[in-house]
Amino acid sequence: DGGITQSPKYLFRKEGQNVTLSCEQNLNHDAMYWYRQDPGQGLRLIYYSQIVNDFQKGDIAEGYSVSREKKESFPLTVTSAQKNPTAFYLCASSPRTGAAYGYTFGSGTRLTVV
Amino acid sequence: DAKTTQPTSMDCAEGRAANLPCNHSTISGNEYVYWYRQIHSQGPQYIIHGLKNNETNEMASLIITEDRKSSTLILPHATLRDTAVYYCIVRPRTLNFGNEKLTFGTGTRLTIIP
């Protein structure tokens, strides 16, 4: 079945370490997104990419980096520069036309800094 | 994306209809109303969308007022599995390349009571 796979589901990181969250999709979607969600809050956009080898900053990109070397993959690196990285991270993809009913989300990665 | 206003939380008895309101008084003529829901610790899931006519699918019904300034999502026979945060989003159906990102507010936390 087509969908988005995020791994790992739970991730623990020591302060000062970089960590990479994986996101893979087999929906043949052009666009991919990373969101961050804090307890009781809505989703905030970190980065998004409409095509391979191109990506744009979202609303809260500081302390994060991404790459889009393959259409299927959009990994997110949480760097040591991110002051408060503990959060729930969601990856999504959509067809290039951006029809809002076409968004598919992964099941998320919960990152905890220890 | 146009701004929406939703109640922070609502309760509904199991088996009854759950009616979730959304105010979008600044909606533009080309903007659709979309509903997503997020079950705890999962990614958001698309429910339904509409422009000006009422819509129904296997999950829910969407009622949009004639002036399009507000809408109501109806879950006709709520079950415990409908407990989730429900997001109302307004935006054009498709956007120019580079503007496909989806913006989420804080939504309505719906609790179905046994």
Side-chain angles (χ1 to χ4, degrees):
Chain A
D1 289 338
I4 294 186
T5 302
Q6 288 188 242
S7 61
K9 191 169 180 63
Y10 298 96
L11 189 57
F12 296 89
R13 187 195 93 175
K14 292 183 179 179
E15 282 195 38
Q17 288 182 338
N18 292 354
V19 64
T20 297
L21 283 59
S22 170
C23 178
E24 303 278 334
Q25 55 101 357
N26 60 4
L27 299 164
N28 199 34
H29 283 170
D30 290 293
M32 296 187 74
Y33 313 81
W34 274 104
Y35 289 88
R36 168 183 171 139
Q37 186 172 36
D38 294 286
Q41 304 296 314
L43 282 68
R44 292 185 290 169
L45 183 66
I46 304 173
Y47 267 99
Y48 62 104
S49 166
Q50 289 109 4
I51 55 174
V52 174
N53 294 322
D54 186 57
F55 47 84
Q56 286 77 42
K57 293 182 179 179
D59 302 317
I60 55 165
E62 185 175 350
Y64 300 97
S65 65
V66 293
S67 63
R68 187 85 186 276
E69 298 177 1
K70 298 187 300 180
K71 187 175 184 179
E72 301 80 17
S73 178
F74 191 41
L76 173 74
T77 296
V78 184
T79 75
S80 56
Q82 170 50 236
K83 300 270 190 288
N84 185 19
T86 295
F88 187 50
Y89 291 87
L90 285 159
C91 179
S93 70
S94 73
R96 187 165 163 171
T97 57
Y101 55 79
Y103 283 71
T104 301
F105 283 82
S107 55
T109 292
R110 191 168 298 279
L111 174 64
T112 303
V113 173
V114 297
Chain B
D1 295 350
K3 181 175 174 60
T4 62
T5 304
Q6 299 178 251
T8 302
S9 63
M10 295 179 62
D11 293 338
C12 178
E14 187 179 15
R16 303 294 295 270
N19 297 284
L20 291 90
C22 180
N23 183 289
H24 32 79
S25 57
T26 60
I27 191 171
S28 300
N30 67 337
E31 289 182 319
Y32 283 65
V33 180
Y34 296 86
W35 284 85
Y36 275 74
R37 75 178 182 184
Q38 185 179 21
I39 296 171
H40 183 62
S41 293
Q42 296 182 23
Q45 173 193 25
Y46 164 77
I47 301 173
I48 198 168
H49 74 283
L51 181 63
K52 55 183 179 180
N53 298 319
N54 298 338
E55 302 289 344
T56 297
N57 63 19
E58 64 279 3
M59 291 182 68
S61 295
L62 175 60
I63 308 297
I64 303 174
T65 58
E66 191 169 346
D67 63 8
R68 303 208 323 121
K69 294 188 176 185
S70 65
S71 60
T72 301
L73 177 75
I74 301 172
L75 309 177
H77 304 288
T79 70
L80 297 178
R81 287 178 295 181
D82 292 321
T83 292
V85 177
Y86 287 77
Y87 299 97
C88 171
I89 300 166
V90 295
R91 53 169 272 170
R93 183 177 182 274
T94 59
L95 296 173
N96 295 331
F97 186 66
N99 292 292
E100 297 93 337
K101 58 186 184 290
L102 202 59
T103 301
F104 289 81
T106 53
T108 295
R109 181 172 299 278
L110 175 67
T111 303
I112 306 302
I113 310 296

